[in-house]
Amino acid sequence: MDFESLAKQYQKELLDKVIPFWEKNSKDEPFGGYFTCLDRQGKVFDTDKFVWLQARQVWMFSSLYNRVEQKPEWLEMAEHGARFLMEHGHDGQLNWYFSLNRVGKPLVQPYNIFSDCFATMAFGQLYQATGNDKYAAIAKQTFMNILARENNPKGQYDKLVPDTRPLKGFSLPMILCNLSLEIEHLLDSDLVSQTIDEAIYEVMEVFYQPESGLILENVTPEGHFSDSFEGRLLNPGHAIEAMWFIMDLAERKKDEKLMQKAVKIVLDTLNYGWDQKFGGIFYFLDVKGHPTQQLEWDQKLWWVHIETLISLIKGYQHTGSKECLQWFEKVHDYTWSHFADPENDEWFGYLNRRGEVLLPLKGGKWKGCFHVPRGLYQVWQTLEKLK
Amino acid sequence: MDFESLAKQYQKELLDKVIPFWEKNSKDEPFGGYFTCLDRQGKVFDTDKFVWLQARQVWMFSSLYNRVEQKPEWLEMAEHGARFLMEHGHDGQLNWYFSLNRVGKPLVQPYNIFSDCFATMAFGQLYQATGNDKYAAIAKQTFMNILARENNPKGQYDKLVPDTRPLKGFSLPMILCNLSLEIEHLLDSDLVSQTIDEAIYEVMEVFYQPESGLILENVTPEGHFSDSFEGRLLNPGHAIEAMWFIMDLAERKKDEKLMQKAVKIVLDTLNYGWDQKFGGIFYFLDVKGHPTQQLEWDQKLWWVHIETLISLIKGYQHTGSKECLQWFEKVHDYTWSHFADPENDEWFGYLNRRGEVLLPLKGGKWKGCFHVPRGLYQVWQTLEKLK
């Protein structure tokens, strides 16, 4: 494999096609923040602003500024979104809304703790870019709110009756693996270590099921399997994405065993989640093979494939696993031939099982300036180390 | 068209294949209520009990008892579910939970007003079958709760910020068109007339948009179009289903103009919502042609097609419209060749855009003993009048 030309391919796609797409199409000059509902050509088709995606774009441009090049226009793009988020994104107590209308009036209450997670990432990264203490304070306070809400993330909006079938979800410990490194520079080192160790334990010991070699999306508070729709649910992309967060932590901790285990989970999940008939990775599966509640279970989503590329190339980088490299080639081919748009910039997000475009959008309620550019950056940087 | 043999076909499918499937597979003897998560062969794959489906099955068996034949086993099947619902289905104030575990402990809070709607239908129909005042009281009180909650159906579980973009939904006025006739025998006739007239006005004047000839799923409180994801949403099956409720009301009111308008809406919606490429009716569309938020937008669902058959045959019965009959033939052919299972009883529920089986279940979280048997019954009865 020609790592040098591959690195170029990822770099060029990021810097010449994907980032320019968002620079050109997403900035809402009069009202602030970003448009994310963009059609195939980049035209705005809806003006609602989703806090996940506003914050992720602030993070992305700050991160490019910090890691690739200190371009003033990247920093300005990040601060443009940050101003909108500071003014409109939260309820005054740094509880972050889920969505806002174009001018910033809140549409959906702060029921979703991941809005807070992405706000933390955004302001943590922007603080690194600027040294502005205001940003540090927002990131830190929001992070503390997340830890306080951790055991009851939805609060009053939780429709589950508390005691009948208590379950905990994989998403929060998974994201804490990434978040704790993202804002390490803002936290007391004991809190960082403690958060990391707890998150690694949850992901690798509690949600990971050694019998199947797979990670479950929901388990009982004691970490057991629940034979219910929620308990049987697998989200292969989620599990695989978490593994590159774990690899980053294993690298930092110089924990070879943890690294090997993360690589094994990537490969086991991929073997299980790959669609043998049409290629690509399924969105949802039931661990007992029953029908899922998710009607979109067989669709092929951009982030699933891009996050898998990151985990595979990092797995190869750290362990030299040939299986990682073979899979990387296969997933790379699928991803570039199905998600990249030969006619326009940025990538498609939603394909049907056969790999045909299901929704011709480049951005929407859940797809913004995040997984494609972050993935291109991560793979590019890893390939640079391999060449 | 040979109405006589067609009537036989619908009758036989109902009485020889569909009802026996539920009689054989769904009854939970030890714990009460019904299993609805049944695989292709009828085997239980999950034991959760969803109040929508519990109540709908009580209604279905009561209704067969009242309208087809007074079989003691049908009444016992209905009362079996009713006992479970009375004991476990509500919070003590007849606010109906959304779901319960197998033994009846509540899983999901009473946030969903349609649980209450289906409970009302169930106990209203069961009262007709038995004359038992206990059932009448439950139906009546639950109906009063629905009217009281009508303007804030989700209560504390509503995640929308109240004033930014107030919208009202089509589902509730639509279902009130049907519900008011279902429990007419229990209500003061003034309340019935008032509820019916208001519901007809909402459905036919407020949600119906004369420019497009289509019914929107959500409009502003003043009945205007909202250019947002929710405001642009079309659910063709929903609109078409509502039209046979309206036809039943138009027949009762001897309102020829209303009948003609209902038929026109069925045909306009069908022309708009039919998939020219692969056949079948889309699940969701955006009235401006933008991508929907619903990833399942292009799937073909059983209830959409079955409800369409009812509206078409009733439209033909009441107006003699040739277009209704031509469409009936086309949708009949699609439905029987794609949803009916040549190897086992009951029908598939979820097909992909191409009409291939997406989930091989016969019942699940949303599909129970309702749309297939109700549709077969309604079409059979209408064909009987035509032959």
PDB file of all heavy atoms in Angstrom, chain A residues 46 48 106-107 109 159 161 164-165 232 295 299 354 356 358, chain B residues 46 48 106-107 109 159 161 164-165 232 295 297 299 354 356 358:
ATOM      1  N   ASP A  46     -32.942  24.113   4.784  1.00  0.00           N
ATOM      2  CA  ASP A  46     -33.638  24.358   6.052  1.00  0.00           C
ATOM      3  C   ASP A  46     -32.686  25.150   6.933  1.00  0.00           C
ATOM      4  O   ASP A  46     -31.471  24.938   6.889  1.00  0.00           O
ATOM      5  CB  ASP A  46     -34.036  23.040   6.732  1.00  0.00           C
ATOM      6  CG  ASP A  46     -35.030  23.260   7.873  1.00  0.00           C
ATOM      7  OD1 ASP A  46     -34.578  23.556   9.005  1.00  0.00           O
ATOM      8  OD2 ASP A  46     -36.242  23.191   7.624  1.00  0.00           O
ATOM      9  N   ASP A  48     -32.946  25.583  10.453  1.00  0.00           N
ATOM     10  CA  ASP A  48     -32.835  25.241  11.874  1.00  0.00           C
ATOM     11  C   ASP A  48     -31.380  24.977  12.240  1.00  0.00           C
ATOM     12  O   ASP A  48     -30.581  24.532  11.413  1.00  0.00           O
ATOM     13  CB  ASP A  48     -33.678  23.999  12.196  1.00  0.00           C
ATOM     14  CG  ASP A  48     -35.161  24.341  12.361  1.00  0.00           C
ATOM     15  OD1 ASP A  48     -35.510  25.531  12.268  1.00  0.00           O
ATOM     16  OD2 ASP A  48     -35.957  23.413  12.582  1.00  0.00           O
ATOM     17  N   PRO A 106     -34.755  29.058  21.141  1.00  0.00           N
ATOM     18  CA  PRO A 106     -34.705  27.610  21.369  1.00  0.00           C
ATOM     19  C   PRO A 106     -35.956  26.891  20.874  1.00  0.00           C
ATOM     20  O   PRO A 106     -37.077  27.344  21.096  1.00  0.00           O
ATOM     21  CB  PRO A 106     -34.588  27.487  22.888  1.00  0.00           C
ATOM     22  CG  PRO A 106     -35.154  28.755  23.426  1.00  0.00           C
ATOM     23  CD  PRO A 106     -34.852  29.813  22.408  1.00  0.00           C
ATOM     24  N   LEU A 107     -35.737  25.755  20.209  1.00  0.00           N
ATOM     25  CA  LEU A 107     -36.844  24.919  19.739  1.00  0.00           C
ATOM     26  C   LEU A 107     -37.024  23.694  20.614  1.00  0.00           C
ATOM     27  O   LEU A 107     -38.146  23.327  20.939  1.00  0.00           O
ATOM     28  CB  LEU A 107     -36.567  24.446  18.304  1.00  0.00           C
ATOM     29  CG  LEU A 107     -36.833  25.443  17.183  1.00  0.00           C
ATOM     30  CD1 LEU A 107     -36.184  24.952  15.888  1.00  0.00           C
ATOM     31  CD2 LEU A 107     -38.333  25.634  16.971  1.00  0.00           C
ATOM     32  N   GLN A 109     -35.763  21.585  24.105  1.00  0.00           N
ATOM     33  CA  GLN A 109     -35.183  21.758  25.441  1.00  0.00           C
ATOM     34  C   GLN A 109     -33.842  21.024  25.600  1.00  0.00           C
ATOM     35  O   GLN A 109     -33.531  20.119  24.820  1.00  0.00           O
ATOM     36  CB  GLN A 109     -36.169  21.206  26.489  1.00  0.00           C
ATOM     37  CG  GLN A 109     -37.560  21.821  26.455  1.00  0.00           C
ATOM     38  CD  GLN A 109     -37.627  23.195  27.128  1.00  0.00           C
ATOM     39  OE1 GLN A 109     -36.607  23.796  27.470  1.00  0.00           O
ATOM     40  NE2 GLN A 109     -38.842  23.699  27.309  1.00  0.00           N
ATOM     41  N   LYS A 159     -38.780   9.381  29.631  1.00  0.00           N
ATOM     42  CA  LYS A 159     -40.094   8.746  29.613  1.00  0.00           C
ATOM     43  C   LYS A 159     -40.073   7.340  30.208  1.00  0.00           C
ATOM     44  O   LYS A 159     -41.115   6.699  30.325  1.00  0.00           O
ATOM     45  CB  LYS A 159     -40.615   8.688  28.175  1.00  0.00           C
ATOM     46  CG  LYS A 159     -40.932  10.085  27.627  1.00  0.00           C
ATOM     47  CD  LYS A 159     -41.455  10.048  26.212  1.00  0.00           C
ATOM     48  CE  LYS A 159     -40.424   9.531  25.255  1.00  0.00           C
ATOM     49  NZ  LYS A 159     -40.667   9.914  23.848  1.00  0.00           N
ATOM     50  N   VAL A 161     -40.051   4.569  33.000  1.00  0.00           N
ATOM     51  CA  VAL A 161     -40.365   4.382  34.414  1.00  0.00           C
ATOM     52  C   VAL A 161     -39.072   3.884  35.082  1.00  0.00           C
ATOM     53  O   VAL A 161     -38.450   2.934  34.596  1.00  0.00           O
ATOM     54  CB  VAL A 161     -41.503   3.351  34.569  1.00  0.00           C
ATOM     55  CG1 VAL A 161     -41.790   3.082  36.035  1.00  0.00           C
ATOM     56  CG2 VAL A 161     -42.758   3.859  33.853  1.00  0.00           C
ATOM     57  N   THR A 164     -38.395  -0.376  36.488  1.00  0.00           N
ATOM     58  CA  THR A 164     -38.808  -1.640  35.873  1.00  0.00           C
ATOM     59  C   THR A 164     -37.664  -2.337  35.138  1.00  0.00           C
ATOM     60  O   THR A 164     -37.455  -3.534  35.295  1.00  0.00           O
ATOM     61  CB  THR A 164     -39.984  -1.414  34.900  1.00  0.00           C
ATOM     62  OG1 THR A 164     -41.008  -0.708  35.575  1.00  0.00           O
ATOM     63  CG2 THR A 164     -40.523  -2.740  34.396  1.00  0.00           C
ATOM     64  N   ARG A 165     -36.958  -1.583  34.330  1.00  0.00           N
ATOM     65  CA  ARG A 165     -35.868  -2.189  33.575  1.00  0.00           C
ATOM     66  C   ARG A 165     -34.737  -1.173  33.446  1.00  0.00           C
ATOM     67  O   ARG A 165     -34.515  -0.625  32.364  1.00  0.00           O
ATOM     68  CB  ARG A 165     -36.337  -2.650  32.196  1.00  0.00           C
ATOM     69  CG  ARG A 165     -35.241  -3.377  31.397  1.00  0.00           C
ATOM     70  CD  ARG A 165     -35.693  -3.695  29.996  1.00  0.00           C
ATOM     71  NE  ARG A 165     -36.746  -4.691  29.987  1.00  0.00           N
ATOM     72  CZ  ARG A 165     -37.696  -4.751  29.056  1.00  0.00           C
ATOM     73  NH1 ARG A 165     -37.729  -3.855  28.086  1.00  0.00           N
ATOM     74  NH2 ARG A 165     -38.617  -5.682  29.124  1.00  0.00           N
ATOM     75  N   ARG A 232     -30.609  -5.970  23.393  1.00  0.00           N
ATOM     76  CA  ARG A 232     -30.057  -6.773  22.293  1.00  0.00           C
ATOM     77  C   ARG A 232     -29.413  -5.914  21.202  1.00  0.00           C
ATOM     78  O   ARG A 232     -28.804  -6.436  20.265  1.00  0.00           O
ATOM     79  CB  ARG A 232     -31.167  -7.628  21.659  1.00  0.00           C
ATOM     80  CG  ARG A 232     -31.728  -8.724  22.567  1.00  0.00           C
ATOM     81  CD  ARG A 232     -32.639  -9.683  21.795  1.00  0.00           C
ATOM     82  NE  ARG A 232     -33.763  -9.004  21.188  1.00  0.00           N
ATOM     83  CZ  ARG A 232     -34.959  -8.830  21.755  1.00  0.00           C
ATOM     84  NH1 ARG A 232     -35.183  -9.297  22.975  1.00  0.00           N
ATOM     85  NH2 ARG A 232     -35.922  -8.204  21.124  1.00  0.00           N
ATOM     86  N   LEU A 295     -36.068   0.865  11.880  1.00  0.00           N
ATOM     87  CA  LEU A 295     -36.388   0.536  10.487  1.00  0.00           C
ATOM     88  C   LEU A 295     -35.206   0.811   9.565  1.00  0.00           C
ATOM     89  O   LEU A 295     -35.138   0.280   8.465  1.00  0.00           O
ATOM     90  CB  LEU A 295     -37.616   1.334  10.027  1.00  0.00           C
ATOM     91  CG  LEU A 295     -38.900   1.102  10.832  1.00  0.00           C
ATOM     92  CD1 LEU A 295     -40.053   1.871  10.207  1.00  0.00           C
ATOM     93  CD2 LEU A 295     -39.235  -0.378  10.920  1.00  0.00           C
ATOM     94  N   GLN A 299     -29.286   0.341   6.610  1.00  0.00           N
ATOM     95  CA  GLN A 299     -28.713   1.432   5.828  1.00  0.00           C
ATOM     96  C   GLN A 299     -27.208   1.575   6.099  1.00  0.00           C
ATOM     97  O   GLN A 299     -26.694   1.119   7.113  1.00  0.00           O
ATOM     98  CB  GLN A 299     -29.465   2.732   6.137  1.00  0.00           C
ATOM     99  CG  GLN A 299     -30.933   2.629   5.704  1.00  0.00           C
ATOM    100  CD  GLN A 299     -31.774   3.849   6.054  1.00  0.00           C
ATOM    101  OE1 GLN A 299     -31.252   4.877   6.487  1.00  0.00           O
ATOM    102  NE2 GLN A 299     -33.079   3.721   5.878  1.00  0.00           N
ATOM    103  N   ARG A 354     -28.183  -1.314  -0.533  1.00  0.00           N
ATOM    104  CA  ARG A 354     -27.418  -1.567  -1.760  1.00  0.00           C
ATOM    105  C   ARG A 354     -26.337  -0.540  -2.013  1.00  0.00           C
ATOM    106  O   ARG A 354     -25.626  -0.623  -3.031  1.00  0.00           O
ATOM    107  CB  ARG A 354     -28.359  -1.576  -2.960  1.00  0.00           C
ATOM    108  CG  ARG A 354     -29.292  -2.766  -2.967  1.00  0.00           C
ATOM    109  CD  ARG A 354     -30.350  -2.612  -4.051  1.00  0.00           C
ATOM    110  NE  ARG A 354     -31.282  -3.712  -3.980  1.00  0.00           N
ATOM    111  CZ  ARG A 354     -31.295  -4.734  -4.844  1.00  0.00           C
ATOM    112  NH1 ARG A 354     -30.456  -4.769  -5.849  1.00  0.00           N
ATOM    113  NH2 ARG A 354     -32.167  -5.711  -4.698  1.00  0.00           N
ATOM    114  N   GLU A 356     -26.977   2.666  -2.613  1.00  0.00           N
ATOM    115  CA  GLU A 356     -27.499   3.768  -3.427  1.00  0.00           C
ATOM    116  C   GLU A 356     -27.874   4.938  -2.513  1.00  0.00           C
ATOM    117  O   GLU A 356     -28.295   4.730  -1.373  1.00  0.00           O
ATOM    118  CB  GLU A 356     -28.753   3.308  -4.190  1.00  0.00           C
ATOM    119  CG  GLU A 356     -28.499   2.169  -5.146  1.00  0.00           C
ATOM    120  CD  GLU A 356     -29.750   1.343  -5.481  1.00  0.00           C
ATOM    121  OE1 GLU A 356     -30.766   1.431  -4.759  1.00  0.00           O
ATOM    122  OE2 GLU A 356     -29.685   0.580  -6.462  1.00  0.00           O
ATOM    123  N   LEU A 358     -29.725   7.445  -0.493  1.00  0.00           N
ATOM    124  CA  LEU A 358     -31.080   7.424   0.059  1.00  0.00           C
ATOM    125  C   LEU A 358     -31.603   8.840   0.255  1.00  0.00           C
ATOM    126  O   LEU A 358     -32.788   9.122   0.047  1.00  0.00           O
ATOM    127  CB  LEU A 358     -31.061   6.691   1.404  1.00  0.00           C
ATOM    128  CG  LEU A 358     -32.376   6.642   2.163  1.00  0.00           C
ATOM    129  CD1 LEU A 358     -33.308   5.606   1.546  1.00  0.00           C
ATOM    130  CD2 LEU A 358     -32.149   6.313   3.641  1.00  0.00           C
TER     131      LEU A 358
ATOM    132  N   ASP B  46     -39.987 -11.415  21.514  1.00  0.00           N
ATOM    133  CA  ASP B  46     -39.833 -10.444  22.601  1.00  0.00           C
ATOM    134  C   ASP B  46     -41.165 -10.396  23.346  1.00  0.00           C
ATOM    135  O   ASP B  46     -42.229 -10.521  22.731  1.00  0.00           O
ATOM    136  CB  ASP B  46     -39.473  -9.063  22.067  1.00  0.00           C
ATOM    137  CG  ASP B  46     -39.004  -8.136  23.178  1.00  0.00           C
ATOM    138  OD1 ASP B  46     -39.866  -7.492  23.822  1.00  0.00           O
ATOM    139  OD2 ASP B  46     -37.787  -8.061  23.420  1.00  0.00           O
ATOM    140  N   ASP B  48     -42.243  -7.851  25.577  1.00  0.00           N
ATOM    141  CA  ASP B  48     -42.778  -6.555  26.008  1.00  0.00           C
ATOM    142  C   ASP B  48     -44.197  -6.371  25.483  1.00  0.00           C
ATOM    143  O   ASP B  48     -44.561  -6.902  24.429  1.00  0.00           O
ATOM    144  CB  ASP B  48     -41.893  -5.418  25.495  1.00  0.00           C
ATOM    145  CG  ASP B  48     -40.642  -5.236  26.363  1.00  0.00           C
ATOM    146  OD1 ASP B  48     -40.492  -5.959  27.367  1.00  0.00           O
ATOM    147  OD2 ASP B  48     -39.827  -4.367  26.028  1.00  0.00           O
ATOM    148  N   PRO B 106     -44.940  -1.229  34.445  1.00  0.00           N
ATOM    149  CA  PRO B 106     -44.801  -0.200  33.406  1.00  0.00           C
ATOM    150  C   PRO B 106     -43.348   0.051  33.036  1.00  0.00           C
ATOM    151  O   PRO B 106     -42.485   0.158  33.901  1.00  0.00           O
ATOM    152  CB  PRO B 106     -45.410   1.046  34.053  1.00  0.00           C
ATOM    153  CG  PRO B 106     -45.315   0.810  35.520  1.00  0.00           C
ATOM    154  CD  PRO B 106     -45.442  -0.679  35.721  1.00  0.00           C
ATOM    155  N   LEU B 107     -43.107   0.184  31.722  1.00  0.00           N
ATOM    156  CA  LEU B 107     -41.776   0.506  31.214  1.00  0.00           C
ATOM    157  C   LEU B 107     -41.698   1.960  30.774  1.00  0.00           C
ATOM    158  O   LEU B 107     -40.720   2.640  31.041  1.00  0.00           O
ATOM    159  CB  LEU B 107     -41.443  -0.381  30.008  1.00  0.00           C
ATOM    160  CG  LEU B 107     -40.993  -1.812  30.296  1.00  0.00           C
ATOM    161  CD1 LEU B 107     -41.049  -2.645  29.022  1.00  0.00           C
ATOM    162  CD2 LEU B 107     -39.573  -1.822  30.877  1.00  0.00           C
ATOM    163  N   GLN B 109     -43.704   5.720  30.477  1.00  0.00           N
ATOM    164  CA  GLN B 109     -44.735   6.557  31.099  1.00  0.00           C
ATOM    165  C   GLN B 109     -45.891   6.887  30.134  1.00  0.00           C
ATOM    166  O   GLN B 109     -45.750   6.753  28.920  1.00  0.00           O
ATOM    167  CB  GLN B 109     -44.096   7.884  31.548  1.00  0.00           C
ATOM    168  CG  GLN B 109     -42.920   7.720  32.518  1.00  0.00           C
ATOM    169  CD  GLN B 109     -43.346   7.455  33.952  1.00  0.00           C
ATOM    170  OE1 GLN B 109     -44.514   7.186  34.221  1.00  0.00           O
ATOM    171  NE2 GLN B 109     -42.389   7.509  34.874  1.00  0.00           N
ATOM    172  N   LYS B 159     -40.665  17.859  24.820  1.00  0.00           N
ATOM    173  CA  LYS B 159     -39.341  18.467  24.772  1.00  0.00           C
ATOM    174  C   LYS B 159     -39.312  19.762  23.975  1.00  0.00           C
ATOM    175  O   LYS B 159     -38.275  20.421  23.897  1.00  0.00           O
ATOM    176  CB  LYS B 159     -38.345  17.470  24.167  1.00  0.00           C
ATOM    177  CG  LYS B 159     -38.118  16.270  25.096  1.00  0.00           C
ATOM    178  CD  LYS B 159     -37.127  15.285  24.527  1.00  0.00           C
ATOM    179  CE  LYS B 159     -37.656  14.643  23.262  1.00  0.00           C
ATOM    180  NZ  LYS B 159     -37.023  13.350  22.932  1.00  0.00           N
ATOM    181  N   VAL B 161     -39.804  23.593  23.228  1.00  0.00           N
ATOM    182  CA  VAL B 161     -39.977  24.867  23.920  1.00  0.00           C
ATOM    183  C   VAL B 161     -41.299  25.448  23.426  1.00  0.00           C
ATOM    184  O   VAL B 161     -41.531  25.520  22.212  1.00  0.00           O
ATOM    185  CB  VAL B 161     -38.794  25.806  23.597  1.00  0.00           C
ATOM    186  CG1 VAL B 161     -38.984  27.167  24.248  1.00  0.00           C
ATOM    187  CG2 VAL B 161     -37.475  25.169  24.058  1.00  0.00           C
ATOM    188  N   THR B 164     -41.650  28.960  20.577  1.00  0.00           N
ATOM    189  CA  THR B 164     -40.821  29.302  19.413  1.00  0.00           C
ATOM    190  C   THR B 164     -41.489  28.942  18.092  1.00  0.00           C
ATOM    191  O   THR B 164     -41.503  29.740  17.158  1.00  0.00           O
ATOM    192  CB  THR B 164     -39.443  28.607  19.507  1.00  0.00           C
ATOM    193  OG1 THR B 164     -38.862  28.910  20.775  1.00  0.00           O
ATOM    194  CG2 THR B 164     -38.524  29.085  18.395  1.00  0.00           C
ATOM    195  N   ARG B 165     -41.977  27.732  18.021  1.00  0.00           N
ATOM    196  CA  ARG B 165     -42.624  27.310  16.765  1.00  0.00           C
ATOM    197  C   ARG B 165     -43.789  26.389  17.099  1.00  0.00           C
ATOM    198  O   ARG B 165     -43.729  25.178  16.891  1.00  0.00           O
ATOM    199  CB  ARG B 165     -41.616  26.595  15.856  1.00  0.00           C
ATOM    200  CG  ARG B 165     -42.211  26.214  14.493  1.00  0.00           C
ATOM    201  CD  ARG B 165     -41.251  25.386  13.682  1.00  0.00           C
ATOM    202  NE  ARG B 165     -40.090  26.143  13.291  1.00  0.00           N
ATOM    203  CZ  ARG B 165     -38.886  25.625  13.094  1.00  0.00           C
ATOM    204  NH1 ARG B 165     -38.688  24.334  13.289  1.00  0.00           N
ATOM    205  NH2 ARG B 165     -37.882  26.386  12.729  1.00  0.00           N
ATOM    206  N   ARG B 232     -43.211  20.641   6.739  1.00  0.00           N
ATOM    207  CA  ARG B 232     -43.185  20.159   5.352  1.00  0.00           C
ATOM    208  C   ARG B 232     -43.551  18.684   5.232  1.00  0.00           C
ATOM    209  O   ARG B 232     -43.691  18.149   4.134  1.00  0.00           O
ATOM    210  CB  ARG B 232     -41.785  20.374   4.746  1.00  0.00           C
ATOM    211  CG  ARG B 232     -41.393  21.830   4.542  1.00  0.00           C
ATOM    212  CD  ARG B 232     -40.122  21.961   3.713  1.00  0.00           C
ATOM    213  NE  ARG B 232     -38.991  21.295   4.319  1.00  0.00           N
ATOM    214  CZ  ARG B 232     -38.123  21.864   5.153  1.00  0.00           C
ATOM    215  NH1 ARG B 232     -38.238  23.147   5.467  1.00  0.00           N
ATOM    216  NH2 ARG B 232     -37.128  21.167   5.662  1.00  0.00           N
ATOM    217  N   LEU B 295     -35.380   8.551   8.072  1.00  0.00           N
ATOM    218  CA  LEU B 295     -34.540   7.709   7.217  1.00  0.00           C
ATOM    219  C   LEU B 295     -35.353   6.605   6.550  1.00  0.00           C
ATOM    220  O   LEU B 295     -34.940   6.044   5.543  1.00  0.00           O
ATOM    221  CB  LEU B 295     -33.399   7.095   8.034  1.00  0.00           C
ATOM    222  CG  LEU B 295     -32.451   8.099   8.700  1.00  0.00           C
ATOM    223  CD1 LEU B 295     -31.302   7.363   9.389  1.00  0.00           C
ATOM    224  CD2 LEU B 295     -31.897   9.103   7.698  1.00  0.00           C
ATOM    225  N   TRP B 297     -38.115   6.963   5.011  1.00  0.00           N
ATOM    226  CA  TRP B 297     -39.106   7.627   4.160  1.00  0.00           C
ATOM    227  C   TRP B 297     -39.551   6.805   2.946  1.00  0.00           C
ATOM    228  O   TRP B 297     -40.715   6.875   2.546  1.00  0.00           O
ATOM    229  CB  TRP B 297     -38.569   8.994   3.684  1.00  0.00           C
ATOM    230  CG  TRP B 297     -37.496   8.875   2.637  1.00  0.00           C
ATOM    231  CD1 TRP B 297     -36.155   8.713   2.847  1.00  0.00           C
ATOM    232  CD2 TRP B 297     -37.669   8.886   1.209  1.00  0.00           C
ATOM    233  NE1 TRP B 297     -35.483   8.619   1.658  1.00  0.00           N
ATOM    234  CE2 TRP B 297     -36.388   8.734   0.632  1.00  0.00           C
ATOM    235  CE3 TRP B 297     -38.788   9.026   0.365  1.00  0.00           C
ATOM    236  CZ2 TRP B 297     -36.192   8.698  -0.743  1.00  0.00           C
ATOM    237  CZ3 TRP B 297     -38.585   8.990  -1.014  1.00  0.00           C
ATOM    238  CH2 TRP B 297     -37.299   8.835  -1.543  1.00  0.00           C
ATOM    239  N   GLN B 299     -39.691   3.513   2.569  1.00  0.00           N
ATOM    240  CA  GLN B 299     -40.141   2.149   2.822  1.00  0.00           C
ATOM    241  C   GLN B 299     -41.640   2.003   2.553  1.00  0.00           C
ATOM    242  O   GLN B 299     -42.391   2.968   2.542  1.00  0.00           O
ATOM    243  CB  GLN B 299     -39.789   1.747   4.265  1.00  0.00           C
ATOM    244  CG  GLN B 299     -38.269   1.740   4.489  1.00  0.00           C
ATOM    245  CD  GLN B 299     -37.843   1.443   5.915  1.00  0.00           C
ATOM    246  OE1 GLN B 299     -38.665   1.063   6.754  1.00  0.00           O
ATOM    247  NE2 GLN B 299     -36.555   1.604   6.180  1.00  0.00           N
ATOM    248  N   ARG B 354     -37.909  -1.292  -2.788  1.00  0.00           N
ATOM    249  CA  ARG B 354     -38.144  -2.240  -3.888  1.00  0.00           C
ATOM    250  C   ARG B 354     -39.233  -3.254  -3.599  1.00  0.00           C
ATOM    251  O   ARG B 354     -39.512  -4.125  -4.433  1.00  0.00           O
ATOM    252  CB  ARG B 354     -36.847  -3.003  -4.183  1.00  0.00           C
ATOM    253  CG  ARG B 354     -35.776  -2.138  -4.807  1.00  0.00           C
ATOM    254  CD  ARG B 354     -34.448  -2.873  -4.847  1.00  0.00           C
ATOM    255  NE  ARG B 354     -33.404  -1.996  -5.351  1.00  0.00           N
ATOM    256  CZ  ARG B 354     -32.899  -2.056  -6.588  1.00  0.00           C
ATOM    257  NH1 ARG B 354     -33.314  -2.982  -7.420  1.00  0.00           N
ATOM    258  NH2 ARG B 354     -31.982  -1.202  -6.966  1.00  0.00           N
ATOM    259  N   GLU B 356     -39.002  -5.508  -1.177  1.00  0.00           N
ATOM    260  CA  GLU B 356     -38.435  -6.704  -0.545  1.00  0.00           C
ATOM    261  C   GLU B 356     -38.624  -6.617   0.970  1.00  0.00           C
ATOM    262  O   GLU B 356     -38.598  -5.530   1.543  1.00  0.00           O
ATOM    263  CB  GLU B 356     -36.938  -6.803  -0.858  1.00  0.00           C
ATOM    264  CG  GLU B 356     -36.632  -6.925  -2.342  1.00  0.00           C
ATOM    265  CD  GLU B 356     -35.223  -6.463  -2.709  1.00  0.00           C
ATOM    266  OE1 GLU B 356     -34.567  -5.777  -1.892  1.00  0.00           O
ATOM    267  OE2 GLU B 356     -34.797  -6.768  -3.832  1.00  0.00           O
ATOM    268  N   LEU B 358     -38.091  -6.195   4.621  1.00  0.00           N
ATOM    269  CA  LEU B 358     -37.025  -5.504   5.366  1.00  0.00           C
ATOM    270  C   LEU B 358     -36.871  -6.105   6.755  1.00  0.00           C
ATOM    271  O   LEU B 358     -35.761  -6.221   7.279  1.00  0.00           O
ATOM    272  CB  LEU B 358     -37.385  -4.019   5.483  1.00  0.00           C
ATOM    273  CG  LEU B 358     -36.429  -3.154   6.285  1.00  0.00           C
ATOM    274  CD1 LEU B 358     -35.168  -2.870   5.482  1.00  0.00           C
ATOM    275  CD2 LEU B 358     -37.096  -1.853   6.717  1.00  0.00           C
TER     276      LEU B 358
END
